[in-house]
Amino acid sequence: MMSTGATALATPSTLMGLLWPARNDARFAAIRAVVLMVVGSALLTLSAKVQVSLPYVPMTMQTLVVLLIGATYGWRLGGATVALYLMQGAMGMPVFANTPPMPAGIGYFASPTGGFLFGFLAAALVMGVMAERGWDRSLLRVTVMMSIGHAVIFVFGLAQLSLVMPFAKAWTVGAAPFVAATIVKTALAIALMQAAWSITRRNGSAR
């Protein structure tokens, strides 16, 4: 039972499950999960700081990183990684975009952009579920998958933003300025996933 519980976050069918397979060993599985979660949350923090400042919602690379974490980790480990990142911000660590000058903490989730954070978690879970069903392995399916992931983030983000302003304005400030960047990030995510699977398959056939 201990071994089964420790390996619950491991998903062999995902890209990370193949690149760094989990063993049937509770201690190794726990260390592996912690390492991947810490690395993933660190990448989310770094991607939050690479941004273009815009009114209300800054443009960052976080959506790209969120989708890739979900797609490569699977829904359990991907969801846990994004949840760890959100917990760090809730505890006051300056991991979110615009912190500083904005104060981090639980209050950040109630800000106009807080919905996007909830969208990150939802998108990571959706990407993980789809990846575990093979949607990340073909060009057409991964295109649909990444498009859905970005759509999930925008749905959550716009839903909260529209609580403090009319939906038309929420769309103008929270979605319209990001359409071109979202297309580019979606294409980049697709290219990275296709390249990673191509290398993995090539190495697998070489063995």
Side-chain angles (χ1 to χ4, degrees), residues 127-155:
M127 293 298 93
V129 169
M130 295 184 74
E132 290 175 23
R133 285 160 174 73
W135 280 77
D136 60 330
R137 305 192 187 198
S138 72
L139 178 59
L140 177 59
R141 285 193 167 194
V142 77
T143 300
V144 173
M145 175 181 164
M146 293 301 173
S147 299
I148 289 174
H150 269 120
V152 168
I153 293 172
F154 277 116
V155 166

Tab-separated table of all heavy atoms in Angstrom, residues 127-155:
chain	number	residue	atom	x	y	z
A	127	MET	N	-5.023	19.477	-19.403
A	127	MET	CA	-3.913	19.044	-20.245
A	127	MET	C	-3.401	17.673	-19.819
A	127	MET	O	-3.078	16.823	-20.658
A	127	MET	CB	-2.754	20.056	-20.171
A	127	MET	CG	-3.039	21.424	-20.775
A	127	MET	SD	-3.397	21.399	-22.547
A	127	MET	CE	-5.190	21.279	-22.507
A	128	GLY	N	-3.319	17.461	-18.518
A	128	GLY	CA	-2.835	16.179	-18.019
A	128	GLY	C	-3.744	15.027	-18.391
A	128	GLY	O	-3.282	13.959	-18.813
A	129	VAL	N	-5.046	15.241	-18.235
A	129	VAL	CA	-6.016	14.198	-18.598
A	129	VAL	C	-5.925	13.874	-20.090
A	129	VAL	O	-5.906	12.702	-20.495
A	129	VAL	CB	-7.451	14.635	-18.228
A	129	VAL	CG1	-8.474	13.683	-18.836
A	129	VAL	CG2	-7.620	14.677	-16.713
A	130	MET	N	-5.844	14.916	-20.917
A	130	MET	CA	-5.785	14.697	-22.364
A	130	MET	C	-4.468	14.036	-22.770
A	130	MET	O	-4.452	13.155	-23.641
A	130	MET	CB	-5.970	16.030	-23.094
A	130	MET	CG	-7.339	16.660	-22.893
A	130	MET	SD	-7.612	18.190	-23.839
A	130	MET	CE	-7.830	17.506	-25.496
A	131	ALA	N	-3.369	14.446	-22.130
A	131	ALA	CA	-2.065	13.848	-22.451
A	131	ALA	C	-2.049	12.365	-22.104
A	131	ALA	O	-1.502	11.541	-22.850
A	131	ALA	CB	-0.954	14.581	-21.705
A	132	GLU	N	-2.630	12.014	-20.970
A	132	GLU	CA	-2.658	10.611	-20.566
A	132	GLU	C	-3.504	9.763	-21.501
A	132	GLU	O	-3.399	8.533	-21.496
A	132	GLU	CB	-3.166	10.504	-19.130
A	132	GLU	CG	-2.179	11.039	-18.111
A	132	GLU	CD	-2.733	11.047	-16.693
A	132	GLU	OE1	-3.670	10.263	-16.428
A	132	GLU	OE2	-2.226	11.827	-15.870
A	133	ARG	N	-4.323	10.405	-22.316
A	133	ARG	CA	-5.132	9.698	-23.311
A	133	ARG	C	-4.541	9.813	-24.719
A	133	ARG	O	-5.206	9.496	-25.700
A	133	ARG	CB	-6.570	10.233	-23.282
A	133	ARG	CG	-7.339	9.720	-22.072
A	133	ARG	CD	-8.539	10.567	-21.752
A	133	ARG	NE	-9.342	9.986	-20.675
A	133	ARG	CZ	-8.996	9.962	-19.388
A	133	ARG	NH1	-7.841	10.498	-19.019
A	133	ARG	NH2	-9.771	9.404	-18.485
A	134	GLY	N	-3.284	10.299	-24.784
A	134	GLY	CA	-2.568	10.311	-26.053
A	134	GLY	C	-2.769	11.517	-26.935
A	134	GLY	O	-2.310	11.539	-28.079
A	135	TRP	N	-3.429	12.564	-26.419
A	135	TRP	CA	-3.685	13.746	-27.242
A	135	TRP	C	-2.428	14.561	-27.528
A	135	TRP	O	-2.452	15.447	-28.376
A	135	TRP	CB	-4.729	14.635	-26.564
A	135	TRP	CG	-6.127	14.158	-26.761
A	135	TRP	CD1	-6.740	13.121	-26.126
A	135	TRP	CD2	-7.085	14.684	-27.683
A	135	TRP	NE1	-8.019	12.965	-26.584
A	135	TRP	CE2	-8.276	13.920	-27.538
A	135	TRP	CE3	-7.078	15.737	-28.599
A	135	TRP	CZ2	-9.421	14.169	-28.282
A	135	TRP	CZ3	-8.226	15.995	-29.338
A	135	TRP	CH2	-9.376	15.206	-29.188
A	136	ASP	N	-1.349	14.301	-26.831
A	136	ASP	CA	-0.121	15.085	-27.009
A	136	ASP	C	0.812	14.489	-28.052
A	136	ASP	O	1.892	15.008	-28.280
A	136	ASP	CB	0.613	15.209	-25.675
A	136	ASP	CG	1.007	13.853	-25.099
A	136	ASP	OD1	0.281	12.854	-25.350
A	136	ASP	OD2	2.027	13.778	-24.392
A	137	ARG	N	0.407	13.412	-28.725
A	137	ARG	CA	1.364	12.686	-29.561
A	137	ARG	C	1.211	12.909	-31.061
A	137	ARG	O	2.119	12.583	-31.821
A	137	ARG	CB	1.277	11.188	-29.257
A	137	ARG	CG	1.482	10.899	-27.776
A	137	ARG	CD	1.683	9.446	-27.483
A	137	ARG	NE	1.705	9.206	-26.038
A	137	ARG	CZ	2.184	8.124	-25.475
A	137	ARG	NH1	2.684	7.165	-26.226
A	137	ARG	NH2	2.152	7.979	-24.167
A	138	SER	N	0.100	13.447	-31.499
A	138	SER	CA	-0.064	13.731	-32.925
A	138	SER	C	-0.253	15.229	-33.122
A	138	SER	O	-0.754	15.921	-32.229
A	138	SER	CB	-1.263	12.973	-33.496
A	138	SER	OG	-2.480	13.536	-33.047
A	139	LEU	N	0.139	15.719	-34.284
A	139	LEU	CA	0.109	17.159	-34.547
A	139	LEU	C	-1.307	17.716	-34.426
A	139	LEU	O	-1.521	18.745	-33.778
A	139	LEU	CB	0.674	17.449	-35.933
A	139	LEU	CG	0.658	18.915	-36.372
A	139	LEU	CD1	1.466	19.770	-35.405
A	139	LEU	CD2	1.206	19.046	-37.794
A	140	LEU	N	-2.272	17.051	-35.033
A	140	LEU	CA	-3.641	17.555	-35.001
A	140	LEU	C	-4.188	17.567	-33.580
A	140	LEU	O	-4.758	18.573	-33.123
A	140	LEU	CB	-4.541	16.702	-35.901
A	140	LEU	CG	-6.028	17.075	-35.905
A	140	LEU	CD1	-6.210	18.515	-36.362
A	140	LEU	CD2	-6.815	16.120	-36.793
A	141	ARG	N	-4.003	16.485	-32.862
A	141	ARG	CA	-4.565	16.396	-31.513
A	141	ARG	C	-3.879	17.339	-30.538
A	141	ARG	O	-4.534	17.939	-29.684
A	141	ARG	CB	-4.478	14.956	-31.003
A	141	ARG	CG	-5.493	14.031	-31.634
A	141	ARG	CD	-5.578	12.722	-30.877
A	141	ARG	NE	-6.746	11.956	-31.281
A	141	ARG	CZ	-7.218	10.916	-30.613
A	141	ARG	NH1	-6.611	10.511	-29.506
A	141	ARG	NH2	-8.276	10.270	-31.034
A	142	VAL	N	-2.568	17.483	-30.651
A	142	VAL	CA	-1.878	18.382	-29.727
A	142	VAL	C	-2.256	19.829	-30.021
A	142	VAL	O	-2.302	20.670	-29.114
A	142	VAL	CB	-0.346	18.180	-29.779
A	142	VAL	CG1	0.275	18.833	-30.992
A	142	VAL	CG2	0.307	18.734	-28.517
A	143	THR	N	-2.568	20.144	-31.270
A	143	THR	CA	-3.035	21.490	-31.624
A	143	THR	C	-4.372	21.771	-30.946
A	143	THR	O	-4.572	22.838	-30.343
A	143	THR	CB	-3.175	21.633	-33.145
A	143	THR	OG1	-1.904	21.407	-33.769
A	143	THR	CG2	-3.681	23.023	-33.511
A	144	VAL	N	-5.286	20.813	-31.043
A	144	VAL	CA	-6.580	20.956	-30.374
A	144	VAL	C	-6.384	21.039	-28.862
A	144	VAL	O	-6.990	21.882	-28.181
A	144	VAL	CB	-7.498	19.766	-30.726
A	144	VAL	CG1	-8.782	19.821	-29.913
A	144	VAL	CG2	-7.816	19.770	-32.219
A	145	MET	N	-5.521	20.196	-28.334
A	145	MET	CA	-5.273	20.134	-26.900
A	145	MET	C	-4.759	21.464	-26.350
A	145	MET	O	-5.284	21.992	-25.355
A	145	MET	CB	-4.256	19.014	-26.646
A	145	MET	CG	-3.773	18.869	-25.221
A	145	MET	SD	-2.571	17.510	-25.160
A	145	MET	CE	-1.804	17.838	-23.580
A	146	MET	N	-3.747	22.033	-26.985
A	146	MET	CA	-3.171	23.285	-26.506
A	146	MET	C	-4.145	24.449	-26.670
A	146	MET	O	-4.172	25.371	-25.848
A	146	MET	CB	-1.859	23.572	-27.234
A	146	MET	CG	-0.742	22.589	-26.916
A	146	MET	SD	-0.353	22.567	-25.140
A	146	MET	CE	0.807	21.205	-25.054
A	147	SER	N	-4.951	24.407	-27.725
A	147	SER	CA	-5.961	25.455	-27.916
A	147	SER	C	-7.003	25.397	-26.803
A	147	SER	O	-7.427	26.431	-26.280
A	147	SER	CB	-6.626	25.291	-29.290
A	147	SER	OG	-5.677	25.415	-30.332
A	148	ILE	N	-7.406	24.183	-26.440
A	148	ILE	CA	-8.358	24.018	-25.339
A	148	ILE	C	-7.745	24.521	-24.036
A	148	ILE	O	-8.417	25.201	-23.240
A	148	ILE	CB	-8.771	22.545	-25.204
A	148	ILE	CG1	-9.658	22.135	-26.385
A	148	ILE	CG2	-9.498	22.298	-23.881
A	148	ILE	CD1	-10.003	20.658	-26.414
A	149	GLY	N	-6.481	24.223	-23.808
A	149	GLY	CA	-5.820	24.668	-22.579
A	149	GLY	C	-5.830	26.176	-22.430
A	149	GLY	O	-6.152	26.707	-21.361
A	150	HIS	N	-5.494	26.880	-23.511
A	150	HIS	CA	-5.525	28.340	-23.454
A	150	HIS	C	-6.946	28.850	-23.258
A	150	HIS	O	-7.176	29.832	-22.532
A	150	HIS	CB	-4.916	28.931	-24.731
A	150	HIS	CG	-3.449	29.188	-24.637
A	150	HIS	ND1	-2.517	28.599	-25.452
A	150	HIS	CD2	-2.726	29.977	-23.789
A	150	HIS	CE1	-1.307	29.009	-25.138
A	150	HIS	NE2	-1.412	29.851	-24.124
A	151	ALA	N	-7.910	28.185	-23.898
A	151	ALA	CA	-9.303	28.601	-23.757
A	151	ALA	C	-9.767	28.465	-22.308
A	151	ALA	O	-10.477	29.337	-21.786
A	151	ALA	CB	-10.197	27.774	-24.678
A	152	VAL	N	-9.367	27.390	-21.643
A	152	VAL	CA	-9.737	27.177	-20.237
A	152	VAL	C	-9.208	28.313	-19.368
A	152	VAL	O	-9.919	28.857	-18.511
A	152	VAL	CB	-9.201	25.819	-19.734
A	152	VAL	CG1	-9.329	25.716	-18.209
A	152	VAL	CG2	-9.959	24.670	-20.397
A	153	ILE	N	-7.966	28.700	-19.588
A	153	ILE	CA	-7.365	29.786	-18.807
A	153	ILE	C	-8.139	31.086	-19.022
A	153	ILE	O	-8.442	31.814	-18.064
A	153	ILE	CB	-5.882	29.967	-19.187
A	153	ILE	CG1	-5.078	28.738	-18.759
A	153	ILE	CG2	-5.308	31.235	-18.525
A	153	ILE	CD1	-3.642	28.735	-19.255
A	154	PHE	N	-8.479	31.385	-20.264
A	154	PHE	CA	-9.206	32.622	-20.552
A	154	PHE	C	-10.614	32.603	-19.966
A	154	PHE	O	-11.116	33.635	-19.508
A	154	PHE	CB	-9.258	32.871	-22.061
A	154	PHE	CG	-8.029	33.533	-22.606
A	154	PHE	CD1	-7.207	32.884	-23.508
A	154	PHE	CD2	-7.691	34.816	-22.208
A	154	PHE	CE1	-6.064	33.496	-24.009
A	154	PHE	CE2	-6.554	35.452	-22.698
A	154	PHE	CZ	-5.739	34.782	-23.599
A	155	VAL	N	-11.268	31.449	-19.976
A	155	VAL	CA	-12.617	31.361	-19.409
A	155	VAL	C	-12.593	31.731	-17.934
A	155	VAL	O	-13.401	32.543	-17.456
A	155	VAL	CB	-13.201	29.951	-19.610
A	155	VAL	CG1	-14.432	29.752	-18.722
A	155	VAL	CG2	-13.577	29.729	-21.065
